[in-house]
Amino acid sequence: MVNLFNFNDRLVKKFILEFVHAKFPGSDYVYACIYKSADFSNERQVFLVEIEDQRFALKLDLTADKTGRLKDEYEILSNLQSHFAPHGRVAIVKPVYFSPSCKFFVTEHVGRKTATEAIRGIVEDNQAAQIYRRAGEWLNVLHSFRRPTYERFWYQWMPEDLNSIISSLDVQALADEYEPLIQKMHEASNKFNSVRDLKVFSNGDFHGANLIIDKGCVYGLDFTEAKEKLAVYDIVDFLKVDVYRDGRPADVDRSGILQHNKHMFFKLYKHPINFDVLDFCIRGRLLIDWLSITRQRYAKSSFQRTKFKKFRERLLMAFEKQI
């Protein structure tokens, strides 16, 4: 569990005061840390700042003055505003302030549930399915930002990742369960040697926590990893949250995703997708994430134990079907 109270309070206050003086001179404020990366604590911190009746998100990266990461992301957020503007039901969080220090920027804060929270928390299947539909609509607009191209689908990274993981000798999963699945992945990969697939401007980290679900609009955020890449990977990043929904084996397709939820995602996502590639990538991603749960993490965390169980169940359902 990340300690959200462990940060450089003096430095953070200095940055917040810079923002307040620039936009709301003389105003009082309160703030709290709402996100801190466990692995990159100096590079990825987010603070909620409340000024009078307005709420803002301050994203802090103490290395960004050298890497240029936040400057690039702020420029992307600014450019995407006009692209999303004609679409009333999907949007990007509004950028508000970029620091001359290049170490932080501020956006509006949309205080609603993330797509991940909604998908995990909603009981009714039909209500959950609407989250997938709205996510597909949002991603459809993002992937239209620049003219698409086509690029060879390079699948070899998946077997390489899997081999690296299992060579660590700290995998919680049993070899007699995962080895047949890896073998099936190798066999399925033979059909992709010369396949080309759609390449677009992508979020690069399109998991459900980076999509905010409001009543009238869906908001996207976090473009730190944004770049041109195969469209399929944004779709995979989002759809894999589906493993936390309960489902019968008959309702799960060959990718490991509930058929109805996947269908709802593509209701409003209209770019041409090679579903053989998509299903292969989802299975590969689920397998990598499952095998990445080490014995140590499994023993220490109830969340990791739940994740292990959910991913295992879906993988076994998916690999029962032919790709």
Side-chain angles (χ1 to χ4, degrees), residues 132 239-249 251-262 278-287 310-323:
Y132 293 86
L239 287 183
K240 70 178 186 177
V241 73
D242 187 66
V243 300
Y244 294 98
R245 301 288 303 173
D246 291 331
R248 302 174 306 165
D251 297 328
V252 175
D253 75 3
R254 64 183 185 171
S255 69
I257 305 301
L258 288 166
Q259 297 176 53
H260 181 60
N261 291 337
K262 188 175 172 187
L278 174 64
D279 292 349
F280 176 82
C281 288
I282 294 174
R283 285 156 62 120
R285 184 74 259 171
L286 296 181
L287 188 53
K310 294 286 189 181
F311 274 67
R312 176 184 177 277
E313 288 174 351
R314 282 297 183 90
L315 282 164
L316 295 179
M317 292 179 195
F319 277 94
E320 282 295 312
K321 306 170 194 283
Q322 293 296 319
I323 189 167

Side-chain angles (χ1 to χ4, degrees), residues 86-275:
H87 306 274
R89 298 182 302 187
V90 293
I92 302 293
V93 290
K94 182 180 178 181
V96 176
Y97 177 78
F98 183 78
S99 171
S101 71
C102 297
K103 293 182 178 180
F104 77 90
F105 66 68
V106 180
T107 68
E108 65 177 339
H109 179 268
V110 182
R112 297 292 187 270
K113 285 186 177 181
T114 67
T116 296
E117 290 169 335
I119 288 170
R120 291 182 184 179
I122 291 174
V123 175
E124 294 295 327
D125 290 340
N126 287 337
Q127 291 181 24
Q130 294 305 315
I131 306 300
Y132 293 86
R133 181 183 62 80
R134 298 178 74 183
E137 181 180 18
W138 187 91
L139 193 63
N140 185 67
V141 174
L142 178 70
H143 285 179
S144 303
F145 180 53
R146 294 177 186 162
R147 184 183 297 275
T149 58
Y150 280 82
E151 182 178 273
R152 183 183 174 190
F153 169 51
W154 186 75
Y155 60 86
Q156 289 91 340
W157 70 269
M158 291 185 195
E160 290 175 3
D161 270 18
L162 289 167
N163 289 336
S164 175
I165 291 167
I166 61 179
S167 66
S168 70
L169 303 178
D170 191 29
V171 177
Q172 174 65 30
L174 299 175
D176 62 353
E177 284 193 332
Y178 68 70
E179 286 177 351
L181 306 189
I182 292 176
Q183 180 58 36
K184 288 184 179 181
M185 286 291 294
H186 281 295
E187 294 169 359
S189 69
N190 293 330
K191 68 170 71 173
F192 300 121
N193 285 328
S194 59
V195 168
R196 294 170 64 82
D197 205 8
L198 187 72
K199 183 179 181 181
V200 297
F201 177 81
S202 299
N203 175 273
D205 192 24
F206 188 56
H207 55 75
N210 283 338
L211 200 65
I212 307 298
I213 308 298
D214 204 352
K215 285 185 177 180
C217 190
V218 174
Y219 295 86
L221 64 150
D222 193 353
F223 288 82
T224 305
E225 306 297 331
K227 59 183 174 182
E228 302 278 341
K229 62 189 294 187
L230 295 187
V232 67
Y233 290 122
D234 271 351
I235 301 172
V236 170
D237 283 345
F238 185 85
L239 287 183
K240 70 178 186 177
V241 73
D242 187 66
V243 300
Y244 294 98
R245 301 288 303 173
D246 291 331
R248 302 174 306 165
D251 297 328
V252 175
D253 75 3
R254 64 183 185 171
S255 69
I257 305 301
L258 288 166
Q259 297 176 53
H260 181 60
N261 291 337
K262 188 175 172 187
H263 172 74
M264 290 298 288
F265 182 92
F266 286 100
K267 278 272 190 181
L268 296 175
Y269 185 92
K270 299 301 183 182
H271 297 283
I273 291 296
N274 183 323
F275 281 89

Side-chain angles (χ1 to χ4, degrees), residues 286-302:
L286 296 181
L287 188 53
I288 288 169
D289 286 0
W290 180 51
L291 293 180
S292 295
I293 300 173
T294 63
R295 295 189 185 100
Q296 183 180 30
R297 291 167 63 192
Y298 183 90
K300 287 185 175 181
S301 167
S302 61

